[in-house]
Amino acid sequence: MATKQEQQKTVKVQLVRSPIGTKEAHRATVRGLGLRKLNSVSELEDTPAVRGMINKVDYLVKVL
């Protein structure tokens, strides 16, 4: 039987545009997603909170 951790869904997010010149809240959201430099990739749990963060900065990131 699979454990709960093995069933955890993940989502990969890549920073494709610079957050320079964007709202401070959007820059903080990008940092909260674990993204620093352009083209950096972060693998996160697929939760409603993470999905909301991705939707907030959808013009800066790409879901892989």
Side-chain angles (χ1 to χ4, degrees), residues 31-49:
R31 291 293 296 126
L33 288 170
L35 302 170
R36 288 180 170 252
K37 299 179 178 181
L38 278 181
N39 297 319
S40 63
V41 177
S42 182
E43 189 167 352
L44 305 159
E45 291 182 20
D46 192 9
T47 62

Side-chain angles (χ1 to χ4, degrees), residues 7 26 28 30 35 47 64:
Q7 296 173 351
H26 290 202
V30 168
L35 302 170
T47 62
L64 302 175

Side-chain angles (χ1 to χ4, degrees), residues 3-61:
T3 63
K4 193 169 188 172
Q5 281 185 334
E6 292 173 351
Q7 296 173 351
Q8 199 67 277
K9 303 278 186 191
T10 61
V11 60
K12 281 189 176 182
V13 184
Q14 181 179 19
L15 184 63
V16 293
R17 283 193 57 197
S18 173
I20 295 173
T22 61
K23 294 180 179 181
E24 181 62 36
H26 290 202
R27 286 193 294 260
T29 302
V30 168
R31 291 293 296 126
L33 288 170
L35 302 170
R36 288 180 170 252
K37 299 179 178 181
L38 278 181
N39 297 319
S40 63
V41 177
S42 182
E43 189 167 352
L44 305 159
E45 291 182 20
D46 192 9
T47 62
V50 170
R51 285 289 175 174
M53 293 170 73
I54 292 170
N55 287 339
K56 185 174 183 178
V57 294
D58 62 347
Y59 63 99
L60 296 174
V61 300

